[in-house]
């Protein structure tokens, strides 16, 4: 390695990446710190100052919030992505967004190296690096937590603190939480530490983005969400009659009211791409409302069999995104198919927010596949009930034939 | 048709099937009324009396509640069945259970005909008849609502009332609800009438099995559910420390507390097998708690890829059951596969009930695939973080190759 | 029915549809005969004369061969359609093509009725009628072989012959083959009659489109097929160096040489949409060569995971087409996805024709995802073998964990 | 590493593994050579002598042919495994079989290390090591072709030859073929070398197991294959009337006649698990006949929808096996499901062997789901054609509704 090699470090301002910043300099690198503002609640100026204090050549703080909302969260809502039936992928979606900015910064500074502080057992290392390789194949990745030297030197938090003190890295007086956190405008995740025991109930004071549902307003709150091609295009506060149209404004509004009602908290065990199971606690207030509204409108607008194929593709895409394959052949293709499926997902849904959950109450669309007249028990329309006789009888052929050939059904 | 032919009529005690009972006699049939007690809240003695009053030769009331819980609901929980992501199949599961009893009764009475009052646009006609044909291929089905004569004669509710009055069929003084209902020990469904407009918010006084969440106790309630091979085997009330082991007792207990907390209400549009979209409102208190607990334990116990294959099979099975194919080659096969998948779904889940929803808080298993030591960020166990480097790089090969051959990714 | 109602009859010139033509007139219809020329070997002028002789008001003969090749066969090759692993859908693809022309003719003549001679146990009735309803929802279909009157009157071939003689319908002196046939430019199918016994070996003199492989030239023949976006765009005869570019010319050329070599004969049992199993013998010379060449190029050009998703969609689409859902929401959507998947299926394949089969020998593409340098055992390129260590070890995590938790693998 | 550590080397007798044998000794290992006899045509005694000559402490030659046929090939036929539509997995299936024997030998000798000569770009390294880790999690793998030292020292074949000469390793005078080969009782594969160019036609003299179809007997040959639960249980030579029942005898017989007719040759590009595309040429005479016979019987015996689910599972299983996950949670589960699916695949198929290909001619089963009477156009049985009317009309509902709501179909 040349002593003057530049490395872009995905910097968080925390103890770990500050130590990594120093350690990279020891290794002979010129370090440029990069912080993506994806909506996390952080003092970016303080982080910048800290980075410079630790010897960073440059500190780049890039606001990618709108990009994140429009090009990652919105498509995810449109595609209906959800991992293992429950997780809305808040962290997984942020990673490619951050990686794009990181790679751009690296290229613009002529840096051949990218470093990050993600652990060696997690998903994030995979997501960051997969994106980086896809966008910048010749990049060299430095992942200290997978580096033998680094890991021997820093065997626990105490080693980091000691190193920080020795190297003039300010250490927060505040004791760190007994879990780790990842925050952005879509969600906050909590894992590790005391959460590692899946049978230990998560403490109630964990949550930062949502209020305790027990303390939420008891009166329901209604919002109307409008979709075009499966994308949210407007949110209406049905109390104040305020409306929001810009994606980031819609999300912020829904985060606010959703947070007030304690909506979108989950506590799950999930399967990581590296083969481990881990326990995660997540809060995704606005995302949960949008997901649920979209889910409701979608089944309303889509033909049954398109819906089924779409669901299969959605499940695949959710795994791709969770695993870090946002920039991959399969994700590019599957996303196009899912976008196609949303051509007719146009309309609006009234969502009721209640303490701890939300649910759709009503939905409509300009061009409706739902045909009230046809389904009505009181109307004789284009559908001829007598046709059902033949339909049922032909559908029974295989079942009766099976019993004839291979024996009666067990009841 | 011989004038002495016997017909088994699936009788509900309501106006429709009472008129059908008379009408079948007019057609020359000897009518045996059959009522399956699947847990609906009904005065069976009154229904019996009414049936005899309307000329029934015999009235059979069969309690199939335990059969329903053990052989239909429990397997459904074990398989994780859910239709179009939200509907827990309360009605769909009851149909094959009722059909088995109906067919048995028909055979034991030497009846060659079975009649039912299901409409010609719905799923239930399909479910009843598919089951009947599978179990009793030579059966003849009479479905008055698909019969031209019957439909011409009874064009609306008024015609039924008039006919009832003319034929001495007692008509309830209570005005019927502006929707139709199907109830059993698992759930109550509401559809038709004013619910046919999917943009009309369902009235709050609709629900019979669950309290309004706004009126539920504000203090959370905890229950612990134990599973063996994916089947619920015990429920513990963590407040009173009472335990329930018999399936029907577990379900009743969870229905009671779940009902108290207003858990399991959904309002959806769904895709019927006959090609129509319909709007349904459902309440499934105990089933929702069981489904959610099982979902949580399953992802905890199952290998990731078994989980994925299982989910695919589950989606298929849910469609089979919804469509009425409980007794079909595909359902028999798929069910066996799903049962196999549950071999290791053993353990317990603590569920928290809150007004309007429930969620898992903690879970454990005797033989755990979850490996706390391996996943811990603080432990260096059998998993070697450095291995992730090669894992990521090889997983990136296709993505970088794709960009090389076919052009850069759009960001 | 008004005595002056017009009906469009899908006419074949054979005994059945000639009797139907008469029978429809008896029923009071004005009958317009419609024959689609999809490439079957038939004397259209004779058929026309016969139809007029039987009382047709008008006889429409429409050449839809190019439409059939370009808009049905070509997309099928592009999508890689094959039913139950073996059947290339020659008949299934022709049905929607014919139906479009039939519906157009019916509309242009103001006919509200369409009649056909397909049997009541087969797939073709479904395909014709599904297409007709999709394109002309208010159409009324007359399907004599499902009509009680007709079926009682014509209980067998002898009844038809008798009726023909009584009504001046010319009956061919040539005894009909002991099986039934459907022919078009893509294939000929044989079924029914002596073929109904699946354990009876099909007679060797059955085939009309292909020579007996035992009598084929012993010298292999080579053709090169070029594809663009998965569609065949050129075929080269590598012996004569002649080239063919128009779809119909490519197909005719490949039918000719494929027929000479006896390529594309299959003898299968298949699952019909109506729930029956049937035995079919098919010969599809050119289609088999194109399918095989496309299959080879596709796996060469497509990313592995796109290929996998595409294969899933292809299997669904094959079922849709077989079942008659060419014009359906799901087919429209799935086809668009499959077309998208073919963006990079560009290149050429050298096919070797041998008596009875063909196989790909070589393939290339201008922009290759295949990377000879990377895969070479002798080159150290962008792929780093040492990375495989971590890749394998991380991929083993789940397998070793599974054995730890749930017991050793059985060997 | 202790100087006395024992390593089990998967030894082939060739130049590569002989050099590896020496190199491991240089590294301080005590080397035990292991050769699995999976049916490859090899002089095992000569290999043994050579190994001892190169300093092996022990040479184990284990005949696993019967195990391979009964526990790997037979299940594969039963499950219908095929990778990317064409490759019958001959090498992939042998790997776990060999690995089991290798691991057993290692354990019995107290060896903690296993070494192999598979390349770092291929599938076999993954298959061997995945199996080894699954069965022997604490094993240490030595893969010289991924070892930096080894790779620097041996940059090409010439380096190996030089090293051999220096170390008294006999080098075959016969020039090696310009491709590499893997052979077992099921197949021989050819890849690398001149085959790496996918547009280069493979030389005709490549094949060792099958005759050139051009030189095959012109007279067709018939064999009858009997299956029970989808497993081949008997093969009859319909010329000589000889029968074969033991799995290995069935396979040998079919290899012999299949080889005589040049059956089972394919030339494909495939997608490796490590993300590369490679070109492979394979010959699998007996396996091809068995696969084709099983495929024919299966669709004959299985319910349509079971067949569809089974095919989905089969596709997954084929990928698992190809990728090296024979001993994995997903393969264990999926295999059980696939075995279940074969309960009714009982019967016999007459296969015709022709030069270069084979095809089913006839099939039968004792308990037939195929119902000749029902499907016959001439019989009025349990199937009522008139029922198809309603069946078609209800199936058309979604298609016509879709056009109503979202616009006409494009023709």
């Amino acid at each position: 390695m040349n002593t003057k090699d530049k490395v872009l470090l995905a910097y968080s301002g925390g103890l770990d990446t500050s130590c990594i910043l120093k350690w990279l300099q020891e290794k002979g690198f010129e370090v440029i710190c990069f912080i993506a503002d994806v909506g996390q609640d952080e003092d970016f100026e303080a982080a910048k100052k800290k980075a410079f204090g630790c010897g960073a050549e440059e500190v780049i703080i890039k606001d990618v919030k709108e990009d994140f909302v429009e090009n990652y969260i919105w498509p995810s809502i449109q595609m209906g992505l959800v991992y293992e039936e429950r997780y809305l992928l808040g962290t997984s979606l942020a990673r490619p967004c951050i990686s794009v900015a990181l790679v751009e910064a690296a290229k613009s500074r002529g840096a051949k190296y990218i470093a990050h502080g993600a652990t060696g057992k997690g998903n994030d290392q995979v997501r960051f690096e997969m994106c980086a390789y896809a966008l910048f194949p010749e990049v060299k990745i430095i992942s200290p937590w997978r580096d033998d030297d680094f890991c021997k030197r820093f065997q626990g938090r105490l080693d980091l603190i000691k190193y920080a003190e020795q190297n003039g890295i300010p250490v927060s007086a505040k004791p760190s939480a007994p879990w780790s956190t990842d925050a952005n405008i879509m969600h906050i995740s909590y894992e590790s530490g005391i959460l590692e025991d899946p049978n230990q109930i998560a403490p109630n004071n964990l949550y930062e983005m949502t209020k305790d549902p027990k303390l939420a307003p008891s009166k329901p709150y209604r919002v109307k969400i409008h979709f075009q091609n499966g994308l949210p295009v407007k949110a209406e506060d049905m109390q104040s009659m305020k409306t929001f149209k810009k994606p980031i404004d819609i999300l912020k509004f829904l985060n606010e009211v959703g947070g007030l009602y304690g909506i979108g908290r989950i506590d799950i065990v999930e399967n990581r791409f590296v083969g481990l199971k881990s326990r995660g606690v997540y809060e995704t207030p606005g995302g949960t409302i949008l997901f649920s509204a979209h889910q409701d409108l979608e089944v309303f607008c889509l033909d049954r069999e398109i819906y089924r194929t779409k669901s299969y593709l959605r499940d695949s895409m959710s795994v791709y995104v969770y695993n870090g394959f946002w920039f991959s052949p399969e994700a590019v293709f599957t996303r196009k198919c899912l976008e196609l499926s949303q051509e007719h997902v146009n309309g609006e849904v009234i969502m009721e927010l209640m303490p701890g959950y939300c649910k759709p109450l009503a939905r409509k669309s300009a061009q409706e596949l739902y045909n009230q007249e046809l389904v009505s028990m009181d109307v004789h329309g284009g559908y001829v009930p007598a046709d059902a006789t033949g339909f049922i009888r032909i559908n029974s052929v295989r079942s009766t034939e099976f019993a004839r050939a291979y024996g009666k059904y067990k009841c």
Side-chain angles (χ1 to χ4, degrees), chain A:
Chain A
M1 173 202 329
N2 290 335
T3 45
K4 289 295 172 199
D5 272 332
K6 281 186 201 171
V7 60
L8 248 286
L9 170 64
Y11 185 68
S12 75
L15 178 62
D16 288 35
T17 49
S18 296
C19 291
I20 291 170
L21 166 49
K22 268 287 173 210
W23 178 81
L24 287 167
Q25 294 170 66
E26 279 181 28
K27 291 270 174 186
F29 283 101
E30 201 178 298
V31 188
I32 301 166
C33 287
F34 179 88
I35 309 181
D37 173 3
V38 285
Q40 69 274 45
D41 180 21
E42 190 169 327
D43 183 341
F44 293 105
E45 277 315 302
K48 190 173 196 167
K49 214 175 129 189
K50 188 170 176 182
F52 278 124
C54 296
E57 290 287 324
E58 186 187 352
V59 181
I60 303 168
I61 294 168
K62 181 142 189 214
D63 181 350
V64 295
K65 288 196 293 290
E66 291 198 7
D67 181 41
F68 179 39
V69 176
E70 292 174 17
N71 296 317
Y72 299 86
I73 301 176
W74 252 224
S76 180
I77 294 298
Q78 182 191 34
M79 294 188 275
L81 303 190
V82 56
Y83 184 68
E84 294 183 342
E85 302 177 50
R86 295 182 292 180
Y87 171 41
L88 293 179
L89 298 164
T91 298
S92 323
L93 289 165
R95 295 318 182 208
C97 172
I98 296 169
S99 299
V100 167
L102 198 57
V103 163
E104 254 171 35
K107 286 183 173 175
S108 73
R109 266 66 174 181
K112 286 175 195 146
Y113 289 81
I114 284 179
H116 65 76
T119 77
K121 292 181 172 177
N123 290 308
D124 286 334
Q125 55 174 349
V126 189
R127 294 170 188 150
F128 276 130
E129 299 180 25
M130 295 278 294
C131 289
Y133 287 128
L135 301 172
F136 188 10
E138 59 278 23
V139 71
K140 286 174 193 153
I141 306 276
I142 299 171
S143 171
W145 289 115
R146 294 197 316 254
D147 183 286
D148 268 359
D149 285 348
F150 188 90
C151 289
K152 266 176 210 152
R153 189 148 164 195
F154 302 101
Q155 300 205 9
R157 192 171 156 71
L158 287 181
D159 292 334
L160 288 165
I161 291 176
K162 206 170 130 194
Y163 181 78
E165 285 167 355
Q166 288 166 346
N167 286 278
I169 302 171
V171 177
S172 167
K174 202 177 65 174
S176 73
W179 54 71
S180 72
T181 283
D182 177 70
N184 61 47
I185 198 172
M186 185 180 181
H187 92 336
I188 304 181
S189 71
Y190 309 91
E191 56 172 24
S192 307
I194 59 168
L195 299 174
E196 273 166 8
D197 177 357
N199 201 36
Q200 163 95 30
I201 295 174
N204 220 354
N205 67 340
L206 189 94
Y207 302 95
E208 299 173 21
M209 215 171 165
T210 56
K211 287 261 169 79
D212 186 339
K214 288 191 292 293
L215 308 176
S218 61
K219 209 181 147 192
Y221 204 93
R222 289 185 183 169
V223 295
K224 191 185 280 181
I225 321 276
H226 300 247
F227 292 87
Q228 205 145 8
N229 304 128
L231 288 165
V233 290
K234 188 162 69 168
E236 291 177 64
D237 180 327
M238 295 176 75
Q239 285 65 226
S240 71
M241 303 314 285
K242 272 193 231 168
T243 65
F244 305 87
K245 293 192 169 173
K246 243 181 98 175
I248 197 168
D249 295 337
I250 294 175
L251 185 60
K252 280 181 176 172
F253 161 62
L254 294 175
N255 276 341
E256 192 188 332
V257 291
L260 199 65
Y261 279 81
I263 288 168
R265 295 175 168 196
I266 60 167
D267 179 327
I268 63 171
V269 169
E270 71 197 61
N271 289 297
R272 288 190 185 157
F273 185 34
V274 293
L276 305 173
K277 285 181 179 291
S278 70
R279 195 256 200 106
V281 176
Y282 301 93
E283 50 183 346
T284 318
T288 299
I289 300 167
L290 288 170
F291 176 84
S292 175
H294 178 268
Q295 180 186 53
D296 190 73
L297 188 65
E298 189 179 60
V299 81
F300 180 65
C301 293
L302 288 188
D303 168 74
R304 183 184 76 202
E305 298 301 317
I306 293 182
Y307 168 79
R308 240 148 257 178
T309 299
K310 193 235 79 147
S311 296
Y312 176 86
L313 295 172
R314 184 269 309 259
D315 289 347
S316 297
M317 187 71 186
S318 301
V319 173
Y320 302 154
V321 172
Y322 182 85
N323 286 354
F325 290 74
W326 183 270
F327 295 111
S328 71
E330 57 267 45
V332 168
F333 170 61
T334 307
R335 181 172 166 184
K336 278 184 200 158
C337 295
L338 285 166
E339 285 169 353
L340 269 175
S341 78
Q342 300 295 301
E343 185 183 354
H344 299 299
V345 181
N346 303 313
E348 57 189 61
V349 180
I350 297 176
M351 296 295 296
E352 184 164 72
L353 315 189
M354 294 277 283
Y357 71 101
C358 61
K359 57 177 280 195
L361 293 184
R363 69 291 289 167
K364 74 172 183 188
S365 178
Q367 275 183 301
E368 293 200 352
L369 193 52
Y370 185 96
N371 188 334
Q372 193 174 335
E373 194 179 309
L374 210 60
V375 80
S376 170
M377 297 211 298
D378 302 323
V379 180
H380 294 273
Y383 178 101
V384 180
D387 289 336
T389 303
F391 178 72
I392 295 167
R393 287 176 56 85
I394 298 286
N395 271 303
S396 293
V397 168
R398 288 184 305 102
S399 293
T400 53
E401 279 292 287
F402 191 72
R404 176 193 57 72
Y406 301 138
K408 294 196 175 180
Y409 294 96
K410 279 181 211 144
C411 297

